[in-house]
Amino acid sequence: MINISFPDGTVRQYEKGTTAIKIAQSISDGLARNVLAAKVNRLNTPESGFEVWDATRPIYEDAKLILLTINDTEGKSTLWHSSAHLLAEAIEAIYPGTKFGIGPAIENGFYYDIDLGGKTISQEDFKKIEDKIIELARIGNAYIRKDVSKSDAIEYFKKKGDEYKLELLDGLQDGTITFYEQGNFTDLCRGPHIPNTGFIKAVKLMNVAGAYWRGDEKNKMLTRIYAITFTKQKDLTDYLILLEEAKKRDHRKLGKELELFAFSEKVGMGLPLWLPKGAALRERLIQFLQKAQIKDGYLPVATPHIGNKNLYITSGHYEKYGADSFQPIKTPHEGEEFFLKPMNCPHHCEIYKTSPKSYKDLPIRYAEFGTVYRYEQAGELHGLTRVRGFTQDDAHLFCRPDQVKEEFCKVIDLVLYVFKALDFNDYTAQISLRDPDNKTKYIGSDENWKLAEQAIIESAAEKGLTTIVELGEAAFYGPKLDFMVKDAIGRKWQLGTIQVDYNLPERFELEYTGSDNQKHRPVMIHRAPFGSLERFIAVLIEHCAGKFPLWLSPDQFAILPISEKYNNYAKKVLDLLKNYDIRGLIDDRNEKIGKKIRDTELQKVPYMLIVGEKEEAENIVSVRKQGEGDLGSFGIDDFANMINIEINKLKK
Ligand SMILES: [Zn+2]
Ligand SMILES: [Zn+2]
């Protein structure tokens, strides 16, 4: 018998050679029907840690076991990667002689790179391939794992005439090679896979594109087929609806329509240009956070966009970013080199060092909206979410070990204040701690780690956060807390990080004099509620579909005269409203009122003030709310007061 331990701490005994599927069956049939794979940590082989295994693979020794379903990331990727094998089987049935490259799972679905030998596949062929996949899935063929010798494997693919698999085999060691077979298709693969094809109930081919073999443009261009599968038809339907909704909310599309930002190839890829409306929005976010930070005792600092190479050698960033990032800026001086700053922290450490500090001076909180530059490959760039230059709402807190908890609580409050003002109401906190079995790979004393981890867990609990604790996910230099936010259509984004750091204080030899008159190292905390303004604004646009909260909206109202006759009255209304802390414009184009309303709706301006003969005579405005319609007539002061109340309510 062997002992199997489950995540909730229970331990059960099973026969040697049992499988995850059998174990699931021993718990309930319902569970067994949903198990796609399992994470296995063999206790006699601890160096391999948790590995994802086929649910049908025999377990011969005591192990920790986590059963994986479609709700787990690894469960999904196992389903999708297995589906790639099934796609290949379908392709081979329809297009005999096809050669196969690789077929990995990706974030949403999977692809397979194939060589059709001169044939082509287009959107019109998708239905036929999908039908074949479902036909094969219904048979419910098992994915059978086989160990093969390298020579047998080579012989198999030589006979089949698949030079891509032969090339892959070239890089593998004898004794480590496995085949997987389902139905009429055998693939070279390390696994894991789902138990059988019957789990695949719904499929959609998403796209077909060209892709160079192994990503190298010197190689042959293969056909890449993107697809996604689910274990229920309804999940596919929901996914396609979500995709449509996401398309409408795409920040790149809305950013253009709302005239917020642009990119120019002349300026350079991944370097966003903020247009007047976007820059104003950005400025408003900065002021909003600055105001809250001043209240919390932050001290604004400002540092340059570049730093001497030596600064980054000290900080360790040179080692991490140096060769793979922007290359140094040279001066006429031999050997003098500067780097675009990839992070603000080293500069802030140097600010800390400008004067001696005592325990009474701490905590010190330096805040800067600092622009940093990191090289990203052209293919990785994406709108505002992946860029090469971005502004962090950065701050570094330097404190004593006994102050970590209080500082964490304060930062959590600040992050929650930001979320509330911007209507992010669904979030969880992920706490990343040390791997308790592997303490030596972390820098900093055991005592300080314990203190900081305890402080993070306690402050999250005190603030009533829903938390997920991840062991072994901490950086080598300290534990952290990340906020995971769900947007309006259920997608998850990581926003807001609070990170403890024992490394930089050590590297920069930061000190304070303690009450014992001895020198001590301060603890450094990096924190950024937005993360970066660019990425945050992208997420915000997609979350609110461009309808920003009233306090942040580029224009809060638009005055729409019914005809040119009333432009003067419109100007009078605008002048009056300017006395209040609100902003808007007049649409004085010579257009019909219906068109003006439609255009203003598209610009997502929250309020429309329609003015004509009646309004001028009575000194009032007729108010329409974006997406809602008529609110009736208002005196001008009444309207201003009403929206000011709404602004203040939302911002708190
Ligand atoms: Zn595989
Ligand atoms: Zn930092």
Side-chain angles (χ1 to χ4, degrees), residues 344-469:
N344 304 301
C345 346
H347 290 74
H348 291 187
C349 287
E350 285 299 304
I351 292 179
Y352 180 92
K353 286 183 85 165
T354 53
S355 65
K357 304 285 188 287
S358 111
Y359 69 100
K360 288 186 221 152
D361 298 325
L362 305 184
I364 289 173
R365 312 177 187 91
Y366 295 136
E368 176 178 16
F369 285 83
T371 304
V372 296
Y373 301 88
R374 293 181 202 164
Y375 176 76
E376 300 274 0
Q377 299 212 346
E380 302 286 319
L381 297 171
H382 182 90
L384 290 181
T385 54
R386 278 296 269 283
V387 287
R388 285 176 173 173
F390 54 91
T391 302
Q392 294 178 314
D393 56 328
D394 214 355
H396 295 98
L397 321 182
F398 300 90
C399 65
R400 304 189 305 259
D402 63 289
Q403 293 172 318
V404 171
K405 182 177 165 190
E406 200 187 330
E407 290 308 302
F408 249 82
C409 283
K410 278 193 177 161
V411 179
I412 291 173
D413 280 340
L414 185 67
V415 173
L416 297 186
Y417 171 68
V418 169
F419 287 175
K420 181 141 184 280
L422 294 161
D423 226 6
F424 288 107
N425 301 314
D426 192 346
Y427 46 81
T428 51
Q430 182 178 311
I431 298 176
S432 301
L433 305 180
R434 275 188 302 183
D435 176 356
D437 301 330
N438 208 346
K439 287 184 184 171
T440 50
K441 72 174 197 189
Y442 302 92
I443 184 171
S445 75
D446 194 41
E447 190 196 340
N448 278 345
W449 269 86
K450 269 192 204 147
L451 220 78
E453 292 191 337
Q454 197 67 22
I456 298 176
I457 293 168
E458 282 175 17
S459 48
E462 264 172 42
K463 296 293 161 194
L465 299 178
T466 311
T467 54
I468 306 165
V469 174

Side-chain angles (χ1 to χ4, degrees), residues 214-466:
R214 299 196 132 175
D216 186 341
E217 53 194 275
K218 286 186 217 94
N219 288 338
K220 191 170 175 186
M221 173 85 85
L222 304 182
T223 303
R224 176 171 294 180
I225 300 178
Y226 289 95
I228 193 163
T229 54
F230 290 95
T231 53
K232 280 188 216 125
Q233 185 62 43
K234 184 176 181 303
D235 289 349
L236 174 60
T237 313
D238 289 348
Y239 175 73
L240 294 176
I241 292 170
L242 176 80
L243 221 55
E244 269 312 300
E245 192 50 42
K247 226 187 257 172
K248 278 189 237 158
R249 291 166 177 262
D250 191 324
H251 74 276
R252 295 168 300 177
K253 172 178 163 283
L254 285 169
K256 203 180 265 175
E257 286 170 13
L258 303 178
E259 298 167 16
L260 299 175
F261 60 87
F263 288 92
S264 146
E265 266 183 36
K266 263 219 170 97
V267 172
M269 277 189 286
L271 299 170
L273 304 175
W274 290 94
L275 308 183
K277 281 184 192 180
L281 181 124
R282 213 176 117 99
E283 200 51 44
R284 230 161 264 133
L285 279 172
I286 291 175
Q287 283 166 7
F288 162 72
L289 193 59
Q290 253 165 359
K291 214 170 138 191
Q293 287 181 167
I294 296 288
K295 258 193 221 159
D296 275 354
Y298 286 75
L299 307 170
V301 293
T303 63
H305 288 240
I306 61 172
N308 194 293
K309 180 177 172 180
N310 291 324
L311 177 70
Y312 301 114
I313 290 177
T314 303
S315 71
H317 290 110
Y318 177 71
E319 209 180 324
K320 190 170 169 220
Y321 292 103
D324 299 323
S325 195
F326 289 115
Q327 292 308 292
I329 301 159
K330 297 203 164 123
T331 72
H333 257 287
E334 182 94 21
E336 192 177 42
E337 289 183 348
F338 291 87
F339 275 85
L340 286 168
K341 81 175 162 190
M343 282 189 167
N344 304 301
C345 346
H347 290 74
H348 291 187
C349 287
E350 285 299 304
I351 292 179
Y352 180 92
K353 286 183 85 165
T354 53
S355 65
K357 304 285 188 287
S358 111
Y359 69 100
K360 288 186 221 152
D361 298 325
L362 305 184
I364 289 173
R365 312 177 187 91
Y366 295 136
E368 176 178 16
F369 285 83
T371 304
V372 296
Y373 301 88
R374 293 181 202 164
Y375 176 76
E376 300 274 0
Q377 299 212 346
E380 302 286 319
L381 297 171
H382 182 90
L384 290 181
T385 54
R386 278 296 269 283
V387 287
R388 285 176 173 173
F390 54 91
T391 302
Q392 294 178 314
D393 56 328
D394 214 355
H396 295 98
L397 321 182
F398 300 90
C399 65
R400 304 189 305 259
D402 63 289
Q403 293 172 318
V404 171
K405 182 177 165 190
E406 200 187 330
E407 290 308 302
F408 249 82
C409 283
K410 278 193 177 161
V411 179
I412 291 173
D413 280 340
L414 185 67
V415 173
L416 297 186
Y417 171 68
V418 169
F419 287 175
K420 181 141 184 280
L422 294 161
D423 226 6
F424 288 107
N425 301 314
D426 192 346
Y427 46 81
T428 51
Q430 182 178 311
I431 298 176
S432 301
L433 305 180
R434 275 188 302 183
D435 176 356
D437 301 330
N438 208 346
K439 287 184 184 171
T440 50
K441 72 174 197 189
Y442 302 92
I443 184 171
S445 75
D446 194 41
E447 190 196 340
N448 278 345
W449 269 86
K450 269 192 204 147
L451 220 78
E453 292 191 337
Q454 197 67 22
I456 298 176
I457 293 168
E458 282 175 17
S459 48
E462 264 172 42
K463 296 293 161 194
L465 299 178
T466 311

Side-chain angles (χ1 to χ4, degrees), residues 460-593:
E462 264 172 42
K463 296 293 161 194
L465 299 178
T466 311
T467 54
I468 306 165
V469 174
E470 297 281 2
L471 295 179
E473 285 297 307
F476 77 91
Y477 54 86
K480 63 172 177 170
L481 186 153
D482 292 308
F483 282 90
M484 309 298 290
V485 176
K486 233 188 216 177
D487 72 9
I489 57 172
R491 294 171 302 176
K492 278 190 193 158
W493 304 86
Q494 191 229 303
L495 291 180
T497 298
I498 321 173
Q499 165 90 57
V500 175
D501 187 348
Y502 296 114
N503 181 40
L504 287 184
E506 199 68 42
R507 283 177 168 267
F508 280 89
E509 301 176 335
L510 305 184
E511 290 176 341
Y512 68 90
T513 311
S515 54
D516 56 1
N517 243 334
Q518 301 293 305
K519 297 283 181 207
H520 298 271
R521 286 258 183 271
V523 182
M524 187 172 179
I525 300 173
H526 312 250
R527 46 103 281 179
F530 294 150
S532 87
L533 280 167
E534 283 69 17
R535 187 167 171 281
F536 187 81
I537 291 173
V539 174
L540 183 62
I541 292 171
E542 302 209 359
H543 176 55
C544 68
K547 294 179 203 168
F548 296 105
L550 186 58
W551 68 269
L552 191 60
S553 191
D555 289 301
Q556 292 164 323
F557 63 86
I559 306 171
L560 314 182
I562 285 176
S563 78
E564 285 184 323
K565 257 175 39 192
Y566 307 104
N567 283 356
N568 277 335
Y569 177 60
K571 279 194 196 92
K572 194 182 133 199
V573 172
L574 184 64
D575 284 342
L576 280 169
L577 288 175
K578 273 184 184 161
N579 294 326
Y580 296 84
D581 194 14
I582 52 178
R583 52 189 180 270
L585 49 80
I586 302 174
D587 183 354
D588 56 6
R589 293 175 302 164
N590 189 12
E591 294 283 358
K592 292 235 162 59
I593 189 70

